[in-house]
């Protein structure tokens, strides 16, 4: 006589008993297995039995490297705009969040790619818990009054998110760039650098390391457009190489690239801020000097490649009644050199004419008030044929 069929409840009870039994067996056997394996691992001959470890093996990695987050504005967005330049970021896993017109904490301005980006603080939150090193390359659109509270807010949020290190780049201050809405200029950049150094020297921010990009690049005008802030293609490769060397130095690793193609990378990597730049950027990397910049335009980020629309060279003499970006560049330089007071307007009016005449007199030129070729050259501009 066959046994009556079991009910569903009885079947479930048997399954639970079997699962509990299996767990008990594993709990008893697994420690013994691990003990045996540990004995083999301690044996010097284990390599002979198991063979050499694969170069791609990841079994021994306790946790994946969480890498470096770079948050920047248009002064470093060239790493996105210049094709291939980000390839000089070597030695770490880099994540780039680079947007034109980005501010630290205050609402950002509308950038050259046709959109208003999020702030650096918001970008930091967008990448929460995914990196351990933060590189801050933002600040050209922030006023001197906003910098310190913004710095503190960024550091506080990075601490909350568990970042181990913050590498903060100094700003170039001997420049003609004027931020949108006249929010900052060379005076603000110098002031913000001084504030950054004071805060770090206070000892209250031990995780913050200053990377002195402003000083490192001070004597390299060929890296920048006429405003002194935005990169030419060569400058994009240069700042990528610089960042890679800074991080290698901080980690005590060998340099990611040699100083010359014929040499070997230094090990450990020296501090790139300890002296003038020595790396031969154009020889180490496939730099295309006149490469187009490829922008991501609008919210949809349509890729459009074009010549840089920052003023690189002057193409005409400037006189009363003229207007445009070249007039803005002229005014910014006259303001920085102390010959013009007021704001950059892009309109060549009486004040600009008088400032040009004063500069011409000081430079031994005829004080016509017109920025002709000789005057533009004396002001330090590149003058290209029209």
């Amino acid at each position: 006589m066959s046994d009556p069929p079991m009910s569903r409840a009885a079947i479930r009870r048997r399954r639970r008993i079997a699962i509990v039994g299996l767990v008990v067996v594993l709990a008893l056997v697994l420690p013994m297995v691990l003990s045996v394996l540990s004995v083999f691992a301690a044996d010097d001959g284990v390599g002979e039995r198991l063979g050499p470890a694969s170069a791609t093996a990841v079994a021994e990695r306790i946790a994946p490297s969480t890498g470096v987050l770079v948050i920047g504005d248009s002064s470093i967005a060239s790493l996105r705009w210049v094709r291939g330049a980000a390839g000089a970021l070597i030695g770490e896993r880099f994540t780039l969040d680079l947007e034109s017109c980005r501010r630290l904490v205050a609402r950002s301005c509308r950038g050259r790619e046709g959109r208003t980006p999020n702030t650096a603080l918001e970008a930091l939150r967008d990448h929460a818990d995914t990196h351990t090193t933060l590189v801050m390359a933002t600040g050209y659109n922030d006023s001197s009054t906003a910098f310190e509270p913004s710095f503190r807010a960024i550091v506080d949020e990075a601490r909350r998110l568990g970042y181990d290190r913050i590498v903060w780049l100094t700003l170039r201050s001997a420049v003609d760039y004027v931020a949108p809405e006249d929010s900052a200029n060379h005076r603000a950049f110098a002031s913000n650098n001084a504030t950054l150094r004071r805060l770090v020297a206070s000892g209250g921010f031990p995780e913050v390391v200053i990377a002195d990009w402003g000083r490192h690049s001070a004597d390299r005008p060929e890296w920048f457009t006429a405003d002194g802030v935005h990169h030419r293609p060569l400058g994009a490769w240069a700042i990528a190489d610089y960042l890679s060397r800074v991080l290698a130095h901080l980690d005590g690793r060998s340099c990611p690239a040699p100083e010359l193609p014929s040499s070997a990378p230094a090990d450990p990597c020296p501090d790139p801020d300890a002296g003038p730049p020595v790396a031969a950027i154009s020889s180490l990397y496939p730099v295309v000097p006149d490469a187009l910049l490829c922008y991501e335009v609008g919210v949809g980020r349509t890729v459009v490649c074009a010549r840089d629309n920052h003023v690189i060279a002057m193409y005409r003499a400037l006189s009363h009644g003229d207007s445009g970006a070249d007039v803005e560049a002229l005014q910014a330089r006259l303001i920085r050199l102390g010959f013009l007071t007021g704001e950059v307007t892009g309109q060549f009016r009486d004040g600009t004419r008088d400032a040009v005449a004063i500069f011409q007199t000081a430079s031994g030129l005829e004080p016509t008030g017109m920025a002709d070729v000789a005057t533009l050259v004396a002001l330090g501009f590149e003058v290209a044929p029209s």
Side-chain angles (χ1 to χ4, degrees):
M1 184 174 184
S2 61
D3 294 333
M6 287 189 293
S7 65
R8 292 183 177 179
I11 292 173
R12 286 195 294 269
R13 282 196 299 273
R14 285 197 175 186
R15 287 177 177 172
R16 283 197 295 269
I17 292 171
I19 292 171
V20 171
L22 179 61
V23 170
V24 171
V25 170
L26 289 174
L28 293 174
V29 173
L30 187 58
M32 291 186 289
V33 173
L34 293 176
S35 177
V36 172
L37 290 176
S38 66
V39 172
F40 277 99
D43 190 335
D44 291 340
V46 69
E48 297 176 4
R49 290 192 301 273
L50 301 180
S54 168
T56 59
V58 295
E60 294 183 3
R61 182 184 285 278
I62 297 174
S65 174
T66 51
V68 178
L69 172 63
V70 183
I71 296 179
D73 53 24
S74 60
S75 68
I76 195 175
S78 57
L79 292 181
R80 180 162 57 81
W81 297 337
V82 177
R83 293 292 175 87
L89 293 171
I90 306 170
E92 298 274 4
R93 182 177 66 83
F94 288 89
T95 298
L96 304 181
D97 193 326
L98 315 175
E99 290 289 343
S100 174
C101 234
R102 168 171 279 154
R103 292 185 175 131
L104 289 167
V105 173
R107 184 177 183 276
S108 299
C109 41
R110 183 177 176 84
R112 65 193 296 184
E113 291 176 287
R115 59 181 177 272
T116 300
N118 58 359
T119 65
L121 183 63
E122 292 167 336
L124 179 57
R125 291 168 178 163
D126 287 345
H127 298 278
D129 302 325
T130 58
H131 305 80
T132 54
T133 296
L134 170 65
V135 173
M136 286 300 305
T138 307
Y140 287 101
N141 302 302
D142 288 271
S143 67
S144 55
T145 56
F147 182 79
E148 181 169 346
S150 297
F151 170 89
R152 293 180 180 275
I154 294 290
V155 174
D156 286 346
E157 186 64 13
R159 286 172 173 172
R160 187 185 72 81
L161 295 173
Y163 279 81
D164 296 330
R165 181 168 58 200
I166 303 170
V167 179
W168 204 294
L169 271 66
T170 59
L171 307 176
R172 286 173 53 83
S173 57
V175 298
D176 300 327
Y177 176 69
V178 178
E181 303 163 11
D182 293 322
S183 57
N185 55 31
H186 65 281
R187 298 186 187 91
F189 307 152
S191 174
N192 292 347
N193 285 340
T195 299
L196 174 64
R197 292 189 173 93
R198 172 176 58 80
L199 291 170
V200 173
S202 71
F205 306 93
E207 66 272 72
V208 180
V209 178
I210 295 177
D212 204 351
W213 171 246
R215 178 170 169 266
H216 181 84
S217 63
D219 297 323
R220 291 295 184 273
E222 68 274 17
W223 291 355
F224 301 93
T225 63
D227 64 18
V229 168
H230 297 95
H231 300 145
R232 295 176 176 178
L234 181 61
W237 288 92
I239 196 169
D241 178 87
Y242 171 76
L243 278 179
S244 297
R245 293 177 191 274
V246 166
L247 293 169
H249 169 70
L250 293 175
D251 291 340
R253 296 183 279 106
S254 63
C255 286
E259 295 177 358
L260 298 170
S262 59
S263 62
D267 187 9
C269 195
D271 184 359
D273 288 338
V278 292
I281 303 299
S282 58
S283 299
L284 290 171
Y285 304 104
V287 180
V288 179
D290 297 321
L292 297 178
L293 303 190
C294 293
Y295 304 106
E296 298 173 1
V297 178
V299 178
R301 294 182 177 270
T302 301
V303 177
V304 176
C305 297
R307 295 292 178 192
D308 184 18
N309 60 22
H310 287 102
V311 177
I312 295 178
M314 293 294 193
Y315 291 90
R316 60 172 177 164
L318 301 173
S319 58
H320 196 280
D322 286 338
S323 62
D326 47 5
V327 176
E328 292 181 4
L330 171 66
Q331 291 174 325
R333 185 151 301 185
L334 289 168
I335 290 172
R336 180 168 65 84
L337 296 176
F339 291 96
L340 178 65
T341 59
E343 299 178 349
V344 172
T345 64
Q347 304 293 322
F348 199 125
R349 299 289 185 254
D350 293 350
T352 304
R353 179 195 60 204
D354 295 343
V356 169
I358 295 172
F359 170 80
Q360 288 170 326
T361 299
S363 303
L365 300 171
E366 184 181 356
T368 63
M370 181 180 76
D372 55 12
V373 172
T375 302
L376 293 173
V377 170
L379 281 164
F381 287 108
E382 297 176 15
V383 179
S386 60

